[in-house]
Amino acid sequence: MDRLVYIDGRFVPAAEASISVFDHGLLYGDGVFEGIRAYNGRVFRLDEHLKRLYNGAKAILLEIPLSLDEMREGVLETLRRNQLSDAYIRLVVTRGVGDLGLDPRKCHGGPTVFIIADAIELYPPEFYERGLELITVVTRRNLPEAINPAVKSLNYLNNILAKIEVTRAGLLEGLMLNHEGYVAEATGDNVFLYTGGRLVTPPTSVGILEGITRAAVIELARELGIPIVEERFARLSVYTSDECFLTGTAAEIIPVVMVDGRKIGEGVPGPITKQLMERFRALTMNEGVPIALAREPQGRPV
Ligand code: PMP
């Protein structure tokens, strides 16, 4: 089925969905985006994703031309038009069409907004069962004072350079350190350790994306009575941890069993990781903004 893509208020077939070569999202990576997931007919944590999008836009002085409600409806309508109940949604807002200079004031037509919804591409199931091997990459995470990693901007070259290191090593993910050498996050996921009877994840002040899945895992840990702290740590803490896992919208929770050649714990996904994976799965099945119900039913069946 040819997918329909939302572009600036219209739905167009994917093959015809295009934007100008003068769009500053393309020319300069000037814009923000979100990766969102729908499970079982509901969009998981849609409002949290939209909040991060609007906050990121605010940080880069980009005024999104849609209200939050209009954007929420745009996402839901994109899913409806494509008859998707389990999907990955990519929401992009660029600075819009300008000239060849950097100056965003020249983008006269206002921001470009597009929303793509498609089937989700996952890591193969064996990685969830056996766990991932990671390396620490040489590329450091962007300085928060330069491009704050908390803003999910279209400028992902920092992560892409890290990803190239990872794939050249024949792996799927890698750890990125911040400029001081503290563990920040993976190229497209947040990182957690279970060590000394507590869960530990880097605080946002290290320079990370404040993941929606990360927040959900912190909530689940609290519900389960697992102590959880946001604390800085270096690579040694990863090597000596009992368990390690990554979190992200696409990856969900994925165990890590080897880092830089060091076996983590027993070298298999640990019990806390597995428990959280199970609880997270249940959460995604039971929570979210209904895709179908946003429109009033036409009438009651008699
Ligand atoms: N860090 C980075 C750099 C990411 O790109 C992502 C994916 N959005 C994450 C962490 C995980 O965030 P989330 O749980 O909101 O998908």
Side-chain angles (χ1 to χ4, degrees):
M1 174 186 165
D2 198 10
R3 299 272 178 229
L4 289 172
V5 175
Y6 171 104
I7 303 187
D8 293 333
R10 295 185 309 125
F11 285 92
V12 296
E16 290 157 36
S18 55
I19 59 164
S20 164
V21 292
F22 293 98
D23 194 295
H24 278 209
L26 172 64
L27 287 175
Y28 298 117
D30 186 356
V32 286
F33 76 105
E34 274 300 321
I36 310 172
R37 239 172 119 168
Y39 293 89
N40 203 20
R42 293 181 202 170
V43 185
F44 186 67
R45 307 246 155 147
L46 177 57
D47 290 336
E48 287 84 346
H49 280 284
L50 293 179
K51 193 168 166 213
R52 186 169 70 185
L53 181 83
Y54 278 72
N55 282 341
K58 189 175 191 182
I60 65 165
L61 292 136
L62 190 165
E63 201 174 319
I64 298 179
L66 300 177
S67 69
L68 258 168
D69 279 347
E70 287 168 335
M71 190 65 92
R72 190 187 293 109
E73 184 53 26
V75 170
L76 296 171
E77 187 59 20
T78 307
L79 289 162
R80 283 184 215 123
R81 297 260 183 143
N82 288 288
Q83 292 170 23
L84 286 164
S85 55
D86 289 85
Y88 182 79
I89 302 140
R90 173 57 52 88
L91 170 46
V92 181
V93 184
T94 80
R95 189 77 65 178
V97 176
D99 65 12
L100 293 179
L102 290 175
D103 190 349
R105 292 174 306 180
K106 303 271 177 68
C107 298
H108 293 299
T112 305
V113 178
F114 60 90
I115 307 169
I116 305 167
D118 211 340
I120 175 86
E121 233 182 81
L122 299 169
Y123 285 132
E126 58 263 31
F127 289 103
Y128 291 87
E129 284 148 28
R130 284 192 234 132
L132 286 181
E133 176 180 352
L134 309 182
I135 49 162
T136 307
V137 299
V138 174
T139 307
R140 294 289 171 109
R141 196 72 179 97
N142 280 330
L143 264 180
E145 295 80 3
I147 301 177
N148 197 322
V151 176
K152 200 165 167 60
S153 88
L154 288 179
N155 203 311
Y156 247 53
L157 201 47
N158 182 218
N159 311 63
I160 291 165
L161 290 175
K163 188 78 172 185
I164 290 169
E165 289 187 54
V166 167
T167 54
R168 283 171 65 89
L171 300 175
L172 294 176
E173 255 299 3
L175 283 183
M176 298 186 78
L177 309 179
N178 79 351
H179 60 291
E180 297 169 308
Y182 289 108
V183 172
E185 57 187 331
T187 70
D189 294 309
N190 291 112
V191 60
F192 284 78
L193 306 179
Y194 183 67
T195 190
R198 9 174 256 173
L199 274 178
V200 189
T201 195
T204 50
S205 59
V206 163
I208 58 166
L209 185 76
E210 216 171 317
I212 308 297
T213 321
R214 174 185 180 275
V217 165
I218 292 172
E219 277 170 36
L220 289 177
R222 290 200 174 120
E223 276 169 35
L224 290 167
I226 304 166
I228 160 86
V229 289
E230 294 179 52
E231 218 168 75
R232 282 165 193 252
F233 56 85
R235 280 193 299 167
L236 180 63
S237 304
V238 183
Y239 301 156
T240 57
S241 67
D242 298 317
E243 299 185 32
C244 175
F245 60 85
L246 306 180
T247 66
T249 294
E252 302 180 316
I253 299 176
I254 189 156
V256 172
V257 293
M258 176 86 83
V259 179
D260 297 332
R262 280 82 162 179
K263 198 158 81 171
I264 305 302
E266 302 295 317
V268 291
I272 299 291
T273 308
K274 284 192 190 160
Q275 192 181 13
L276 287 166
M277 287 168 77
E278 206 178 293
R279 292 297 286 252
F280 183 75
R281 172 53 47 90
L283 186 67
T284 58
M285 287 298 140
N286 294 316
E287 195 198 277
V289 178
I291 298 168
L293 290 184
R295 265 193 195 147
E296 286 300 311
Q298 294 301 306
R300 284 167 188 277
V302 188

